[in-house]
Amino acid sequence: MKRIWKRVAVAVSAVVALIGAYVGSGAAGGTPIQDAAGGALSASSTAIAPDGPAFSIWSVVYAGLVGYAVLQLFRTANDDRHGRLVVPAILSLLLNAAWILSVQFGWLWASEPIIVALLAVLVWTFSILRRTRSTGVVEAVLTDGTFGLYLGWVCVATAANTAAVLTAAGFRGFGLGQDVWGVAIAAVAGLVGVLVAFWGRGRLAPAASLAWGLAWVAVARFDGPLVSVPTAVTAVVAAVAVVVVTVAVRARAGRSGAREERATTPGFGRADSVAG
């Protein structure tokens, strides 16, 4: 019964997150996130804010989260892995809804600790995923893929949210200017993506969403109310670096895995280990 209630709790949390997303979209009569809190999160608010279409990735993430909630609700295998994911999955879903509501109510100051906590929880989730194995393609897509996309996008969202909160609080960047800060933050986001690539042994989902976010930061800085060519160029370079490094690490991990498999296959054994 305890296991069943844990599964139900994840499913209920997913429903709460969906309701939050519905409210945050403005469909329920509220203000769309990019226009809420006085437009603090709009594409023209800070040098690191992505252009509007970037947020369409939430549709993919939410679809994946619903799929994951259903998968874990009816799972018949891999109980240990899903058991470890229960708490961080629930926290990520509830924090997501809390962040949307904090912005909707204009509590921008509250959105920062919430999104930082969300990022920390997703790092925790990712660490569980990389230490355990999926049991098939469906689980790999709905669990690893979804939370990977979630993590990569929230990395970008945290940077944008932090910049928005500081700007709204009157921070003026110690007089360094938007170009300097935009370049610095875009470079750090790219570095984070590279580190995740190595840590995750080349997982594609985090790299895809992080590169997606950086690409839309570049679009917003090349053309719009807040143009910053240095930031745009840095964002493009960072996005490309994340993708290239991730693919290279994944290829290397694949070759290493193939050597290990041959080493444990009868007929290869010790000779293959020496050759590798």
Side-chain angles (χ1 to χ4, degrees):
M1 285 298 296
K2 186 176 180 181
R3 289 183 178 180
I4 292 175
W5 281 113
K6 286 181 177 179
R7 298 179 188 185
V8 171
V10 173
V12 170
S13 299
V15 172
V16 171
L18 283 178
I19 293 173
Y22 182 70
V23 172
S25 69
T31 306
I33 285 294
Q34 61 268 28
D35 299 324
L41 298 174
S42 67
S44 60
S45 60
T46 67
I48 201 65
D51 204 4
F55 296 94
S56 63
I57 194 174
W58 276 120
S59 300
V60 180
V61 172
Y62 282 124
L65 289 172
V66 170
Y68 162 73
V70 173
L71 174 70
Q72 64 84 40
L73 190 61
F74 297 103
R75 70 180 186 268
T76 57
N78 223 359
D79 273 348
D80 179 62
R81 186 183 212 221
H82 285 287
R84 296 185 193 183
L85 287 171
V86 167
V87 174
I90 291 174
L91 287 176
S92 73
L93 290 163
L94 296 182
L95 285 168
N96 189 314
W99 179 81
I100 291 173
L101 292 176
S102 68
V103 176
Q104 279 289 329
F105 283 113
W107 300 338
L108 197 61
W109 56 271
S111 70
E112 184 62 15
I114 292 173
I115 200 168
V116 169
L118 174 57
L119 179 61
V121 167
L122 289 174
V123 170
W124 176 16
T125 306
F126 191 71
S127 70
I128 294 173
L129 294 177
R130 66 180 292 276
R131 287 185 281 108
T132 55
R133 295 178 65 87
S134 62
T135 55
V137 175
V138 173
E139 184 183 334
V141 172
L142 293 180
T143 304
D144 300 73
T146 296
F147 283 104
L149 287 175
Y150 202 179
L151 172 62
W153 171 246
V154 170
C155 285
V156 177
T158 301
N161 196 86
T162 302
V165 170
L166 290 174
T167 299
F171 179 67
R172 294 296 176 262
F174 303 113
L176 295 178
Q178 68 176 21
D179 287 348
V180 174
W181 281 104
V183 167
I185 296 174
V188 170
L191 177 60
V192 169
V194 169
L195 293 176
V196 170
F198 282 106
W199 185 41
R201 295 187 289 273
R203 296 196 176 215
L204 299 177
S209 54
L210 208 155
W212 168 269
L214 286 170
W216 282 107
V217 168
V219 171
R221 299 292 77 79
F222 273 129
D223 182 30
L226 186 58
V227 173
S228 174
V229 175
T231 300
V233 172
T234 304
V236 170
V237 171
V240 172
V242 169
V243 172
V244 170
V245 171
T246 299
V247 171
V249 171
R250 185 176 183 85
R252 181 179 179 183
R255 290 194 297 270
S256 177
R259 286 198 297 268
E260 291 178 4
E261 185 176 351
R262 289 196 300 270
T264 57
T265 300
F268 289 94
R270 186 177 301 172
D272 187 70
S273 298
V274 174

